[in-house]
Amino acid sequence: MRPNRGVAFVVTLFIVLVLTMLAGVMVQRLRHSNLFELEGRDQAAAFWAAQAGISYALGQWTADKSWQQDTYRVLEPSGASFTFAFGAGESVNNLESDVPAGTVPARQAYLKVVGESRGRQQTLEVLVGRSGLPVSRKEALLATGNITLAGAVDIKAHRSVEDNTEVEADLVSLKQAADADTISAPSGSVDVQGAVRCTSSLNSSINRTNIAARSFEVGATVDRPPDPNILGRVSAHSGAATPTLAAGQTRLPSGDTYFPNGINYEGDLELDGTNLYVNGPLNVTGSLSGTGSVFVTGDASLVGTTDIKAADAAGLALFVKGDVSLTGLDASSYIEEACAQGVDPGTQLPYSRFYQNTLDALRLMDQLMTAPDSLQDGSHWWDPAPGKTTSRKFSNAGAFNDHLTSDFDGLGDLLTHDQFSFLSTYEMVGIRENDYLQSNEVNLVGKVRAAVEAEHNPANATVKAFALKSLEQLGADDEGGFFGWSDSPERSIAEMEQMLATGDVTRFANSLNDMWDDPLLVNHPVLGPMRERLRQRLLHTLDTIRTGKLGAARFQGRIYCEGDLTCSNDLHVIGSIAAVGRESNVILNNCRITFVPEVAAQAGTSLGAVSVRAWFHR
Amino acid sequence: MRRGLTLGEVVIALGLLTVAALALMSVFGGGLRLSGQVKHSLTATQLAKSELESLQSGRVRIPAPAHFAGEAPVDEFPPAPYPVTTVNDVEYRTTVTTEPVPDAPGVINVIVKVQWNEDPGVVLQSYFHPI
C-alpha cells in the first residue's frame, strides 16, 4: 500500500491553481486599470476633436454668418474626428435673425459637436454669438495721461438709450506719476455727473477749480482696459475692397473697406453702414459722416464736421492706434462775421438780425423737443394754451392757428419758407426776446445764405463752401429735407407704421413732432414705447444742422485711441471716450459726453468675433 | 515501511511549478510593463491637455504654420509645459506643430505630441479660432 503516492502532484496542482487564480485577478485588475487610463487618453482626444469642430464652425461663421453645412472630419495625424449636423434636434444657425428660433436666441447659434477617438465619444453643446470688443468700461472718459478741459464741458450719463434715468459718469485719469493738475479745467465750467478720479495719490493731481463733480478721489484703483488689438483687426481685413475716393465727395459702400496706405482726403466722406479699416493715417478735411465704424492704425485728423453713428446702437465709432485730432472749421464764427457786414436788400434789415433769429428758432426747437413731459405745468411757453388739450404745440393746423404761438413746424416754416401764412397772427414767443417779428422776416436761413454768398474773401473759400453746404441742408424744403414735412397734414398712425415698415425712419421722425402727444401715438403698443428713442433721433438731426454747431464732431458709439485726443471743436459723444496708450493726454474744448453704460458694455457687438457665449455640456 | 515521494512526482511537481512560475512572471512582467506604459501615457496626455488648454486661454498668439520641437519659444509660444517636463525622473518632450486649416478662414490646426524615452508618445490635436 502506498497511501502518500501522488500527494506532491496534487499539492502542486493546488498551488498552481491558487497562483493562477491570483494571477488572473491581478491581471484583470491591471487590465481594467490600464483600460481606464487609456480611456482617459481617448476621452481627451475626443474632447479636443469636438473642440476642433467648434473652432471650425466659428471660423466659418466669422466669414459667413449664414454658413450651415453638415460636417464630418478626421483629424490627421491623431485619427480623432468630429461631426455635426444642422436640423431638427441638431445644430441651429440663428445668427442672422432678429427673432429667436425655438430656444435659440436671436443673433446666436446653437452648435452640437460630437468628437470621437478609438470608439470614445464626447459631445459638446454651445451657444455662439458675437461678443463685444474687450474695451468696455464704466467710465465716461478715461485717459492714461493728463485730462485738460476748457469751455463748457458737460459729462452726464443715462442708463440706456431709451431710459433717461441718471446714472453716474466718472472721469478718470490712470496717470501714475505724481504730477499736479493731471486733471484740470483752466477755464470755463465743467460739470461731471459722477466722480473725478485719479490713480496718482498726489492731492493736487486733481485741480478742482472750475470743476463740479459728485466726488473727487486721488489714489484711486482703476484697471487699464484690455488691448483691443487694432493693428490685428485692421490687418485681418486687408483683403477687403478698396473703393476709389472721388474728388469732393465719396460715399463708401456698406460692409468692410480697407485702405492700405492711409487716407488723405479733402471733401465729404460718408459711411453707409461701412466698416472703414485704414492702414496708416486718416486725414479728412470737410466732413466724415454716416453710419459705421472707423479703425485707424495711424493718427486720425478730422477737420470739419464729424458725425458718425456706430453701425448698431451699441457699437464702436472711432478706434485709432495713434493720436486723434478733431478740429472744426469754425463756420459759425465765419457766418456770424459774414452776416455782420451787410443788409438784406428786400427788407433793409441787417443780416445779423436774420442770423440771430435763426439761432433763436433752432434753440427753441431744441427746447421744444427736450422739455420733459412733466414740465407742462402752465408756466412754460410750450404748454398748451388755456382750454386746449394739445400740448407742446405739436398740433395740427387748426390748433396752430388757435394757439397764436409757435410750434416745431411753425419754427421750421419760419426758417425755410418765403410765404408764411400764419405770420400776421404769429407771436414768436421767445424769439428775439419776445420782440415781434416783422412781417417780412421770413425764410431766415435763405437770408443768412445770401449774406454768406455775398462774402468774397478768397482766404475763406473752404469755410465758405462748407457753410453754404450746411445752410443748404438746413434750408432744404422738399420732402427729403429736414423741414420737408413742415405744415404738412396730420400723420396717421397707419402712415407712420407704413413709414417704419418701409424703413423710412427719417420721414417718420420728421412727422413725429406733429404726433408727439397724440394719444394715438402714446398708446400705440409698438410706436408708443419708441417715442423716446425717436425723440433722440430728432434731436440728433436738429443738433446736426444747427448753425450754432457748424463744424461739430458728433459720435454715437465709443471713441478709443492709444495716442492723444485733442478736440478743438464742439464734441458730443453718446457712448464714452478712452485714450489709453502709454500716456495719452486728452484736451477737450466745449464738449458734451453722454455716457450710456449699455453702449459701452456692448461696444463692438457688430464687429466682435463670433465666439462661444455659453456652454451646455462640457 | 512508509515510502516517501518518488523522484518522478517531485520532478513533475517541480516542472509544473516552473512552468507556472514562468507563465506568471511573463504575465506579471507584461502587465507591469503595460502599467508603466499607461502611466507614462497618462502623464503625457495630461501634459498635452495642459498645452492645449494654455493655447485655448488666448493669452498667447498662435503662429501658423510653425513647428517647435525643442527650440526656444518665440513671443511666449509655445507656452509651458513645452518643451520638457520631468515627472518621476522621466523626461517628457513636447512638440507643437501648427498649420492653417485651408477651408476655414482664421482657424489653426494645432498638433501637440508628448514623447518619453523612445516611445512614439501621445498626440492630441484640435483646431483653434483665435479672436
Side-chain angles (χ1 to χ4, degrees):
Chain A
M1 186 177 170
R2 301 167 70 181
N4 291 334
R5 190 183 181 94
V7 168
F9 183 66
V10 171
V11 169
T12 303
L13 280 179
F14 180 73
I15 291 170
V16 169
L17 182 65
V18 169
L19 286 175
T20 305
M21 287 173 67
L22 278 174
V25 169
M26 291 184 72
V27 166
Q28 194 67 15
R29 293 192 62 173
L30 203 58
R31 182 169 171 272
H32 280 163
S33 168
N34 290 345
L35 281 176
F36 180 76
E37 290 175 353
L38 286 172
E39 184 173 314
R41 182 195 65 188
D42 294 334
Q43 291 280 19
F47 172 83
W48 285 103
Q51 289 273 11
I54 291 171
S55 297
Y56 182 80
L58 291 178
Q60 299 292 355
W61 277 326
T62 298
D64 175 11
K65 280 191 283 187
S66 67
W67 180 85
Q68 53 176 43
Q69 185 176 317
D70 296 353
T71 302
Y72 169 74
R73 175 163 297 200
V74 177
L75 305 177
E76 295 296 345
S78 71
S81 65
F82 66 78
T83 180
F84 54 83
F86 292 88
E90 299 291 343
S91 303
V92 176
N93 180 0
N94 198 36
L95 284 169
E96 291 193 305
S97 173
D98 288 326
V99 295
T103 56
V104 182
R107 298 197 171 276
Q108 295 193 29
Y110 164 72
L111 184 64
K112 179 177 156 189
V113 185
V114 179
E116 192 271 337
S117 176
R118 295 184 183 89
R120 313 291 174 200
Q121 289 192 341
Q122 280 275 334
T123 301
L124 298 180
E125 298 171 66
V126 293
L127 262 187
V128 168
R130 283 190 186 273
S131 55
L133 296 183
V135 293
S136 300
R137 304 293 305 186
K138 60 181 181 180
E139 296 81 16
L141 171 57
L142 180 75
T144 49
N146 295 330
I147 299 176
T148 307
L149 309 168
V153 176
D154 187 15
I155 297 176
K156 58 185 179 180
H158 295 164
R159 180 174 291 160
S160 70
V161 175
E162 285 100 7
D163 184 353
N164 280 339
T165 306
E166 282 190 2
V167 294
E168 294 222 333
D170 291 353
L171 186 155
V172 177
S173 171
L174 298 177
K175 188 176 179 181
Q176 292 286 349
D179 294 336
D181 298 345
T182 296
I183 299 175
S184 66
S187 62
S189 66
V190 177
D191 189 5
V192 181
Q193 184 184 301
V196 175
R197 309 170 74 199
C198 188
T199 49
S200 163
S201 55
L202 185 69
N203 274 332
S204 60
S205 61
I206 300 177
N207 187 333
R208 303 184 185 189
T209 306
N210 300 324
I211 300 178
R214 293 190 178 171
S215 63
F216 296 89
E217 181 186 3
V218 294
T221 304
V222 182
D223 295 331
R224 292 174 70 99
D227 178 7
N229 189 16
I230 294 175
L231 297 180
R233 288 179 191 283
V234 173
S235 171
H237 292 83
S238 58
T242 305
T244 304
L245 299 180
Q249 186 173 14
T250 300
R251 182 172 190 159
L252 294 171
S254 62
D256 295 336
T257 59
Y258 177 76
F259 287 81
N261 302 311
I263 293 178
N264 197 352
Y265 188 68
E266 285 197 19
D268 299 330
L269 203 55
E270 186 178 354
L271 310 181
D272 182 15
T274 312
N275 296 323
L276 176 59
Y277 294 94
V278 182
N279 184 37
L282 170 67
N283 298 307
V284 178
T285 302
S287 72
L288 177 63
S289 63
T291 302
S293 298
V294 181
F295 290 78
V296 183
T297 62
D299 296 336
S301 171
L302 308 176
V303 180
T305 289
T306 307
D307 187 2
I308 297 176
K309 181 177 183 297
D312 56 18
L316 305 165
L318 185 62
F319 259 47
V320 179
K321 185 71 177 172
D323 297 338
V324 173
S325 170
L326 306 170
T327 310
L329 281 172
D330 200 11
S332 301
S333 299
Y334 166 74
I335 293 173
E336 190 172 359
E337 287 172 12
C339 288
Q341 295 172 6
V343 174
D344 171 45
T347 61
Q348 291 301 307
L349 291 169
Y351 282 127
S352 58
R353 181 179 173 97
F354 291 100
Y355 179 61
Q356 200 56 52
N357 280 336
T358 299
L359 295 184
D360 283 345
L362 290 166
R363 178 178 54 79
L364 290 173
M365 293 170 89
D366 188 77
Q367 275 187 24
L368 199 57
M369 290 306 296
T370 309
D373 292 345
S374 59
L375 282 182
Q376 294 177 46
D377 56 4
S379 63
H380 302 89
W381 69 269
W382 55 78
D383 291 319
K388 303 295 180 185
T389 56
T390 308
S391 60
R392 291 176 191 268
K393 317 303 176 290
F394 293 133
S395 59
N396 55 33
F400 179 81
N401 273 326
D402 293 343
H403 287 162
L404 301 179
T405 183
S406 62
D407 73 354
F408 196 93
D409 284 353
L411 290 164
D413 274 356
L414 186 67
L415 287 167
T416 59
H417 285 200
D418 279 327
Q419 299 296 323
F420 189 51
S421 55
F422 302 115
L423 193 61
S424 58
T425 56
Y426 199 104
E427 182 180 322
M428 294 303 295
V429 179
I431 289 202
R432 301 288 294 151
E433 297 176 344
N434 296 329
D435 189 7
Y436 293 103
L437 289 171
Q438 297 183 17
S439 60
N440 51 6
E441 285 189 72
V442 291
N443 193 0
L444 304 179
V445 174
K447 298 293 194 297
V448 171
R449 187 175 171 181
V452 171
E453 284 174 339
E455 195 278 328
H456 294 296
N457 184 349
N460 295 330
T462 303
V463 68
K464 178 180 178 179
F466 179 68
L468 283 175
K469 184 176 178 186
S470 300
L471 289 166
E472 185 179 350
Q473 183 190 1
L474 180 61
D477 190 24
D478 56 9
E479 289 203 348
F482 183 63
F483 299 117
W485 289 102
S486 296
D487 212 19
S488 61
E490 191 82 71
R491 300 290 123 204
S492 70
I493 286 291
E495 276 182 285
M496 297 173 90
E497 285 179 336
Q498 178 65 23
M499 289 177 194
L500 279 182
T502 56
D504 197 350
V505 179
T506 301
R507 284 177 65 202
F508 177 78
N510 292 348
S511 301
L512 176 68
N513 65 73
D514 277 338
M515 296 283 288
W516 178 256
D517 287 319
D518 193 310
L520 279 174
L521 178 62
V522 173
N523 299 324
H524 190 276
V526 176
L527 301 179
M530 294 175 67
R531 287 166 75 230
E532 184 52 42
R533 175 180 285 190
L534 291 165
R535 184 170 70 157
Q536 292 298 330
R537 285 184 66 97
L538 194 63
L539 284 171
H540 178 112
T541 308
L542 191 62
D543 211 25
T544 304
I545 62 174
R546 194 165 17 171
T547 55
K549 292 283 183 185
L550 288 181
R554 186 181 174 95
F555 297 90
Q556 183 164 332
R558 187 175 177 84
I559 297 178
Y560 176 100
C561 70
E562 295 181 10
D564 294 341
L565 171 68
T566 307
C567 182
S568 49
N569 196 350
D570 282 348
L571 172 64
H572 187 194
V573 178
I574 298 177
S576 61
I577 295 177
V580 289
R582 186 180 300 273
E583 186 172 313
S584 298
N585 300 312
V586 172
I587 301 173
L588 299 181
N589 191 347
N590 288 315
C591 170
R592 278 184 294 161
I593 302 174
T594 305
F595 177 52
V596 183
E598 180 189 56
V599 172
Q602 299 176 38
T605 48
S606 62
L607 296 166
V610 174
S611 60
V612 174
R613 307 288 292 273
W615 296 85
F616 291 123
H617 176 249
R618 193 174 186 186
Chain B
M1 180 181 169
R2 188 173 175 186
R3 295 185 62 184
L5 302 177
T6 64
L7 180 61
E9 282 181 280
V10 171
V11 168
I12 290 170
L14 283 175
L16 275 174
L17 280 172
T18 304
V19 170
L22 285 174
L24 286 174
M25 281 173 66
S26 171
V27 168
F28 279 122
L32 287 172
R33 271 196 304 278
L34 180 61
S35 182
Q37 187 84 353
V38 168
K39 280 187 175 19
H40 289 312
S41 172
L42 192 62
T43 303
T45 301
Q46 291 297 342
L47 292 171
K49 280 170 65 177
S50 180
E51 184 73 30
L52 288 171
E53 282 164 1
S54 293
L55 294 174
Q56 192 184 38
S57 71
R59 287 191 294 269
V60 178
R61 186 180 155 274
I62 304 174
H67 178 69
F68 285 79
E71 298 89 345
V74 177
D75 292 337
E76 299 182 37
F77 178 89
Y82 174 87
V84 176
T85 305
T86 303
V87 179
N88 293 333
D89 296 329
V90 177
E91 282 192 347
Y92 294 86
R93 302 179 307 280
T94 301
T95 303
V96 181
T97 306
T98 67
E99 59 193 17
V101 177
D103 63 336
V107 178
I108 299 171
N109 181 13
V110 178
I111 302 155
V112 175
K113 188 173 189 178
V114 179
Q115 295 170 282
W116 64 96
N117 300 332
E118 300 306 315
D119 196 274
V122 167
V123 175
L124 284 188
Q125 181 177 9
S126 193
Y127 289 173
F128 288 90
H129 179 247
I131 296 173

